[in-house]
Amino acid sequence: QVQLVESGGGSVQAGGSLRLSCLLSGYTSSNTYMAWFPKAPGKEREGVAAIDTDGKTTYAEAVKGRFTISKDNAKNTLYLQINNLKPEDTATYYCAAAHARPSWSGLLEWEYKYWGQGTHVTVSS
């Protein structure tokens, strides 16, 4: 059974950095397509960063330059490094995974089968 467990969220001030983690169990991350989907208060969950089985990354335009997605296959763990945090980054960040190659952008919810419970990030100004 595939499970995803996020961690690393917290409360930070604007301008700070955080690294979120997502531990994958029940499958190997090297064969898994993975992504991060934050859900901000009052907004829909949206994909911001994805990584495929070859390590190729995709980012939403709004986060390019500040968000970095990476995977440590030895630890079966996905990461999201967020720098220069802004209050609008406040959200619950969900990790998603799929065995099948995303058929569109890799940043759409329907492209992923497995989801974690989320880790919350609050950014204060």
Side-chain angles (χ1 to χ4, degrees), residues 15-95:
S17 298
L18 273 179
R19 188 176 78 159
L20 307 182
S21 301
C22 173
L23 177 63
L24 170 68
S25 60
Y27 209 69
T28 55
S29 62
S30 60
N31 294 330
T32 306
Y33 300 86
M34 303 184 76
W36 287 98
F37 285 76
K39 185 183 185 307
K43 295 187 177 181
E44 297 292 319
R45 191 162 57 180
E46 59 180 4
V48 292
I51 188 166
D52 72 9
T53 56
D54 295 324
K56 180 182 175 183
T57 57
T58 302
Y59 294 96
E61 283 296 324
V63 305
K64 282 182 179 179
R66 292 197 304 119
F67 287 32
T68 303
I69 188 171
S70 61
K71 243 191 319 181
D72 185 336
N73 291 327
K75 296 182 178 180
N76 239 30
T77 300
L78 176 75
Y79 301 101
L80 184 68
Q81 176 72 37
I82 310 175
N83 296 326
N84 189 23
L85 278 154
K86 303 177 180 181
E88 52 263 42
D89 295 325
T90 295
T92 299
Y93 285 72
Y94 295 90
C95 170

Side-chain angles (χ1 to χ4, degrees), residues 27 31-34 51-53 96-104 106 108 110-114:
Y27 209 69
N31 294 330
T32 306
Y33 300 86
M34 303 184 76
I51 188 166
D52 72 9
T53 56
H99 300 326
R101 176 180 291 277
S103 57
W104 196 246
L108 302 177
W110 57 264
E111 296 177 298
Y112 295 91
K113 181 176 181 180
Y114 306 103

Side-chain angles (χ1 to χ4, degrees), residues 3-6 22 45 92-95 115-120:
Q3 287 190 316
L4 299 166
V5 179
E6 301 95 334
C22 173
R45 191 162 57 180
T92 299
Y93 285 72
Y94 295 90
C95 170
W115 294 85
Q117 295 300 307
T119 185
H120 191 70

